[in-house]
Amino acid sequence: MSDNRWSANRRTFVKTAGAGGVVALAGCSGGDGSDGSDGSDGSDGSDNESDGGTTGETDDVPSAQFILNPAEADVEIEEQYQPMFEYLESEVEVEVESDRAASYTATLQAMRNEQGEIADISPSAVIAGEDILDVVGVRIAYGASQYFSTVTTTPDSGIESLTDLEGELIYLGDILSVSGTLVPLTILKDADLDIGNAPDGDAADFDAEYSDHTTAREQMVERDDVMAATTGAFSSAPYVPQEQFEEMSEDFVDISAEYEGAGDEIESSGTELELLAVSDPIPRAPLATRSGWDDPVKAEIEEAILNVTEDDLSHGDDYDGEPLWFTGVEEGSIEDYEPIRKVLEELGLEFEDLS
């Protein structure tokens, strides 16, 4: 598409003047009905009367607010991140505080409103917030700095290809989720399905509902009217027979950290999914800091993040929750997320009015 055609067809993704409006539009993606915070914008409720640097002071030890957004509703992300918090506090003289945001948009709003200094954030939110965020590094999972999106259905749905989804209901992730919504929409579009104004409006050839990865997958399994789910492979692969990935994507077999565990949950859960599509490799989500955070501890924290090891991120033997999904952080920059920018352009989306 030429630049002129692109300019003529651009749509404004989100127009809102405040955090509450953004979160309401995003649908507060936590599918478990609890976002773990006391404000829908990811705020810790403090007045934040600091000088624009750290969020609060405890004697001579600065504090840093770490904003977390769970990609899956059933993960206790603050417990999951405890090894990271403890590691940072052991390497840097800082007190790390955390807050679980309700959605990808809420995470970005918290950073934009100076309610956080560090963020676990979506690749799309980095593009949306490149004016106020510094990419520290790309997270690595078991040696891979790229991951995949999938479109799945159930074996008894009668859906055999993406084109069969015309006129059906599809469950997607959060509207800012790269692997849950944005990349899958390009996959559906490339299959000649008219996506209309999705995700910030109605699709033309199918109906769409939005939440998080876990909810999308579970709703497809539980509801007869949901014919497909679009999720990251980290959510779907355990329920998809490994040979289906082998038949559909050599890149997935060669690159994905989820390939070895594909199909592992089928027997124990009694749930099996049918693979309809696998995306090209996607850069994994980054860890980012707020550009306007003016404190010497920022540089120390960024250095510590890049030096973290798999051992540093591991829980003790008495921990029975979900482990932290990444095993290291590779130095990165906004340029690493140019593929995401291209996805947004293909969908005709812009984020300059997200404030």
Side-chain angles (χ1 to χ4, degrees):
M1 178 180 291
S2 69
D3 290 342
N4 289 338
R5 286 183 62 197
W6 156 235
S7 298
N9 288 296
R10 285 183 73 151
R11 297 183 283 109
T12 300
F13 182 28
V14 178
K15 289 186 177 180
T16 179
V22 175
V23 176
L25 177 61
C28 296
S29 69
D32 57 358
S34 171
D35 62 22
S37 66
D38 60 359
S40 61
D41 61 354
S43 168
D44 63 353
S46 68
D47 291 333
N48 194 23
E49 295 179 350
S50 68
D51 60 1
T54 52
T55 306
E57 299 284 341
T58 304
D59 296 328
D60 295 329
V61 179
S63 66
Q65 193 79 9
F66 206 132
I67 307 297
L68 305 171
N69 181 64
E72 300 190 79
D74 55 357
V75 172
E76 296 296 333
I77 194 168
E78 290 182 288
E79 295 180 11
Q80 194 181 29
Y81 256 88
Q82 279 305 310
M84 171 63 92
F85 302 153
E86 293 169 6
Y87 163 76
L88 290 176
E89 290 179 340
S90 71
E91 296 293 313
V92 181
E93 191 173 1
V94 66
E95 180 183 353
V96 178
E97 301 172 353
S98 64
D99 194 9
R100 171 176 169 149
S103 65
Y104 293 111
T105 44
T107 303
L108 179 58
Q109 280 302 105
M111 297 295 280
R112 192 175 291 281
N113 293 338
E114 298 186 5
Q115 294 162 339
E117 282 72 54
I118 315 165
D120 167 323
I121 202 160
S122 162
S124 62
V126 171
I127 298 298
E130 61 182 320
D131 59 322
I132 55 99
L133 294 174
D134 293 330
V135 173
V136 178
V138 182
R139 282 174 279 182
I140 300 169
Y142 309 106
S145 60
Q146 297 172 301
Y147 72 125
F148 294 81
S149 174
T150 64
V151 183
T152 57
T153 188
T154 56
D156 60 355
S157 67
I159 302 296
E160 297 181 357
S161 67
L162 294 175
T163 55
D164 292 338
L165 293 173
E166 185 172 357
E168 304 292 353
L169 174 59
I170 303 173
Y171 226 110
L172 301 95
D174 181 277
I175 60 171
L176 273 183
S177 173
V178 170
S179 62
T181 295
L182 302 181
V183 167
L185 284 174
T186 67
I187 293 173
L188 296 170
K189 182 181 177 183
D190 291 343
D192 293 327
L193 290 172
D194 187 347
I195 66 171
N197 294 323
D200 60 329
D202 294 333
D205 277 351
F206 55 89
D207 294 323
E209 293 188 22
Y210 302 90
S211 187
D212 59 85
H213 299 265
T214 302
T215 302
R217 187 191 73 239
E218 291 179 346
Q219 288 294 299
M220 176 182 63
V221 172
E222 295 170 5
R223 288 171 50 180
D224 292 338
D225 60 331
V226 181
M227 292 294 105
T230 64
T231 68
F234 54 83
S235 181
S236 59
Y239 305 92
V240 176
Q242 197 174 66
E243 56 269 21
Q244 292 188 22
F245 286 107
E246 295 168 352
E247 294 168 359
M248 189 168 291
S249 174
E250 184 176 339
D251 280 342
F252 187 90
V253 174
D254 292 341
I255 297 173
S256 178
E258 283 78 35
Y259 169 66
E260 289 300 326
D264 280 358
E265 296 295 326
I266 294 175
E267 184 175 353
S268 61
S269 68
T271 297
E272 179 176 334
L273 303 181
E274 189 83 18
L275 192 61
L276 292 174
V278 183
S279 72
D280 292 332
I282 306 168
R284 285 195 185 276
L287 291 176
T289 54
R290 182 163 52 82
S291 302
W293 182 19
D294 184 19
D295 193 298
V297 78
K298 175 184 176 182
E300 297 177 44
I301 286 178
E302 290 176 342
E303 182 179 2
I305 287 174
L306 292 175
N307 290 330
V308 72
T309 68
E310 184 173 357
D311 285 344
D312 295 324
L313 299 175
S314 299
H315 291 82
D317 293 337
D318 58 344
Y319 177 72
D320 61 359
E322 288 287 333
L324 201 54
W325 67 261
F326 61 98
T327 53
V329 181
E330 180 178 273
E331 187 171 3
S333 69
I334 192 66
E335 283 74 25
D336 293 309
Y337 296 93
E338 281 304 308
I340 308 305
R341 193 188 303 277
K342 291 178 180 177
V343 167
L344 299 180
E345 290 179 355
E346 182 177 350
L347 297 175
L349 302 175
E350 61 176 291
F351 291 86
E352 62 184 23
D353 294 315
L354 181 60
S355 60

